[in-house]
C-alpha cells in the first residue's frame, strides 16, 4: 500500500500541559481512553504521576507569585472573556470532542454543555473587577477595612460526567479571583480539558496559571489533593473519594470544597400537570444517561395518580432514542465506561433481589454495527420501591429511576430527607403553598419547582449533608476562591496607652 492509501490514524495524542508547555510525563507513561459508543481507541494521553504534579504545583506557585499577581483585575477579566469567545468560536469541534470522549448525545454537548461553558467563563470574567473589600464601622479613631485576596495555588479534580463544564465551573471563579490552578481531569474523559488547555494558551494566559495534568485518581489525584504546596483543593465526584480528599487535605489544613453525590427526590403530587411532571421526571433521570449528581433518581408519586403517571412515563421512556451519540436525533448515548455499565447492571440485580419490579429497560439495547461494543443501557424504571431499599439509598449514576408511592405529605418529607445526600430536589404541584413549604423543609442545596435540571452561571449550586461543602457558580463561588484580610489603621496618631505612658 502506498502511503497515500494507508488508513489515516485518527487517534489523538496529548501531552501534559505544565508551565505553558506541552510535555511528556516524567515516566514516559501514557494511558488510552476509548470512545464509549464503540469501545474503540479515541486518544492516547500522557499519564501524570507524583513528580509531574510536583512540577505543575511549582509552576502554579511561580505564576501565582509572579506575573499573575501583578496583572490588573481588568486584564484577568479580559483573558477570561477572550477564552469564553474562543470556546464559543470552537463550539462545534468541542461539542464533537465532548461527545466522543463522554458519549453524551451531540444535541446535549452542542446546545447545553458548551454554551454553559461559555456562559461560565463570561460570567466570571465580569467578576474579576468586582471583587471588593469593605470598610467596617469600628468605634474610636480607627480605620478598619478588608481585602479580599486569592487563596493561592488551587488543585482541582473533576469527574467525567460533564468534563468541560466541570472544568469551567472550577477554573472560571478560581482565575477571576486571581488564583492559579493545577487541574486533573477524570481518566475516562481527559480529552476536552486538553483541548481547553490549547485555547487557554491561545487566549494568552501567562504560563503556569493553568496546568492540566491527566492521570489516575489514586496516583495523580491523590498526589495533588495531599500536596503541601497547594492552598486549596476543589473536587467534584463520588462521596467516597470526597472523604479521602478531605482526609488528605486535613494533613496540611488545605482548604477544601466538595461537590459530591446525590439521591434526589423528585416528587409528583396528584394536583400537578401530569404531562409536565412526566417530562420533568424524564429530564430528571434520563438526561446525560442519568450520570448527573443531581439526578431525580427517587421519584415519589402520589398513590392516587401512580398508575396513570407510570403508564405515561413508561410509554415515553420506551420511546427514547438510544444509539449513536453523534446523531442529532439521539436522546441517549452510552454510559461513560464499561465499569459504569457493569455497576448499573449490578443494581438491576440488587433491585430484583430487593423485590422491586423492572417496569421498563433493565438491560442493554440491541444495537447494530460498531455500537454493539458500546456501553449502552436502556432507560430503566423500577416500580414498587421503598425508600429503605439500596436502590433508593445508593447513587447508581445511570438511567435508572426508583419509583416510590406516597399518600401523606408529612411522611413524604421525612422520606425525602431520609438519605445521606442533600444536593437537589424537585416538586410538581399546582399548590403554591405546598411547593414553598417543601422548598423550606427539604434539606438540599437546590430545589426545582415544576422544573428540573435548571442551571445558570449566576445561580449557586452545591450540597447539604454528604453532598459536599461550598457553593459553585454565582457570587458564592468567589467565597471558595478568596480569603479575607482585615486591616486596622490607627488614625489618632497617639501611642497605645493601655500599659501607661
Ligand atoms: P470518582 O472516583 O469520585 O472520580 C472523580 C475524580 O476523582 C476523578 O478525576 C478521579 O480520577 C479522581 N479520584 C479518584 N480517586 C481519587 C483519590 N484517591 N484521590 C484524588 N482523586 C481521586 O468517581 P468515579 O470512580 O469516576 O465514579 C464512581 C461513582 O462516583 C459514580 O458511579 C457516581 O456514583 C459517582 N460520581 C459522582 C459524580 C458527581 O458529579 N457527583 C461524578 C462522577 C462520579 P480518575 O477517574 O481519573 O481515576
Ligand atoms: Mg474512581
Amino acid at each position: 500500500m502506498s502511503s497515500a492509501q494507508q488508513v489515516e490514524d485518527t487517534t489523538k495524542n496529548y501531552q501534559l500541559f505544565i508551565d505553558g508547555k506541552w510535555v511528556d510525563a516524567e515516566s514516559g507513561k501514557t494511558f488510552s481512553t476509548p470512545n464509549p459508543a464503540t469501545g474503540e481507541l479515541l486518544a492516547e494521553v500522557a499519564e501524570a504521576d507524583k513528580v509531574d504534579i510536583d512540577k505543575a504545583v511549582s509552576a502554579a506557585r511561580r505564576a501565582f507569585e509572579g506575573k499573575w499577581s501583578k496583572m490588573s483585575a481588568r486584564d484577568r477579566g479580559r483573558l477570561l472573556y477572550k477564552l469564553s469567545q474562543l470556546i464559543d468560536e470552537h463550539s462545534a469541534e468541542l461539542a464533537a470532542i465532548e461527545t466522543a470522549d463522554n458519549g453524551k448525545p451531540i444535541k446535549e454537548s452542542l446546545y447545553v454543555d458548551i454554551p454553559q461553558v461559555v456562559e461560565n467563563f463570561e460570567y466570571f470574567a465580569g467578576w474579576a473587577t468586582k471583587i471588593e473589600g469593605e470598610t467596617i464601622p469600628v468605634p474610636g479613631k480607627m480605620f478598619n477595612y478588608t481585602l479580599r485576596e486569592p487563596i493561592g495555588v488551587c488543585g482541582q479534580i473533576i469527574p467525567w460526567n460533564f468534563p468541560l463544564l466541570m472544568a469551567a465551573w472550577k477554573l472560571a471563579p478560581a482565575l477571576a479571583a486571581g488564583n492559579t490552578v493545577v487541574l486533573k481531569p477524570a481518566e475516562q474523559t481527559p480529552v476536552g480539558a486538553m483541548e481547553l488547555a490549547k485555547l487557554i494558551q491561545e487566549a494568552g494566559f501567562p504560563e503556569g496559571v493553568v496546568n492540566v495534568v491527566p492521570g489516575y485518581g489514586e496516583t495523580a489525584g491523590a498526589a495533588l489533593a495531599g500536596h503541601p504546596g497547594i492552598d486549596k483543593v476543589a473536587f467534584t465526584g463520588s462521596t467516597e473519594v470526597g472523604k479521602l480528599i478531605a482526609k488528605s487535605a486535613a494533613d496540611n489544613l488545605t482548604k477544601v470544597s466538595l461537590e459530591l453525590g446525590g439521591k434526589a427526590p423528585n416528587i409528583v403530587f396528584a394536583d400537578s400537570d401530569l404531562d409536565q411532571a412526566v417530562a420533568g421526571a424524564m429530564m430528571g433521570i434520563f438526561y446525560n444517561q442519568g450520570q448527573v449528581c443531581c439526578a431525580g433518581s427517587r421519584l415519589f408519586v402520589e398513590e392516587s395518580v401512580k398508575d396513570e403517571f407510570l403508564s405515561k412515563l413508561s410509554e415515553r421512556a420506551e420511546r427514547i432514542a438510544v444509539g449513536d451519540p453523534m446523531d442529532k436525533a439521539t436522546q441517549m448515548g452510552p454510559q461513560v465506561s464499561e465499569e459504569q455499565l457493569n455497576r448499573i447492571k449490578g443494581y438491576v440485580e440488587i433491585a430484583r433481589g430487593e423485590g422491586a419490579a423492572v417496569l421498563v429497560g433493565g438491560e442493554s439495547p440491541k444495537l447494530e454495527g460498531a455500537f454493539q461494543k458500546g456501553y449502552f443501557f436502556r432507560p430503566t424504571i423500577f416500580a414498587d420501591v421503598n425508600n429503605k431499599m439500596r436502590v433508593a439509598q445508593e447513587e447508581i449514576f445511570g438511567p435508572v429511576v426508583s419509583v416510590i408511592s406516597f399518600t401523606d405529605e408529612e411522611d413524604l418529607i421525612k422520606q425525602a430527607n431520609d438519605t445521606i445526600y442533600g444536593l437537589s430536589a424537585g416538586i410538581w404541584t399546582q399548590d403554591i403553598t405546598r411547593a414553598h413549604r417543601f422548598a423550606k423543609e427539604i434539606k438540599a442545596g437546590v430545589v426545582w419547582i415544576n422544573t428540573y435540571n435548571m442551571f445558570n452561571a449566576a445561580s449557586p449550586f452545591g450540597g447539604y449533608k454528604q453532598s459536599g461543602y461550598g457553593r459553585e457558580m454565582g457570587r458564592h463561588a468567589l467565597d471558595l476562591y478568596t480569603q479575607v484580610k482585615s486591616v486596622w489603621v490607627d488614625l489618632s496618631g497617639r501611642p497605645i496607652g493601655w500599659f501607661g505612658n
Side-chain angles (χ1 to χ4, degrees), residues 262-266 293-300 421 423-426 452:
K263 196 74 193 179
N266 193 8
C293 47
C294 50
S297 50
R298 285 185 298 152
L299 187 57
F300 288 93
Y421 298 113
L423 192 53
S424 61
Y452 210 91

Side-chain angles (χ1 to χ4, degrees), residues 160 186-188 216-218 235 238 240-241 339-340:
W160 42 259
E187 73 192 54
Q188 296 86 349
Y216 293 111
E218 293 74 8
F235 170 80
S238 60
E240 187 191 347
V241 174
E339 188 186 345
Q340 283 300 120

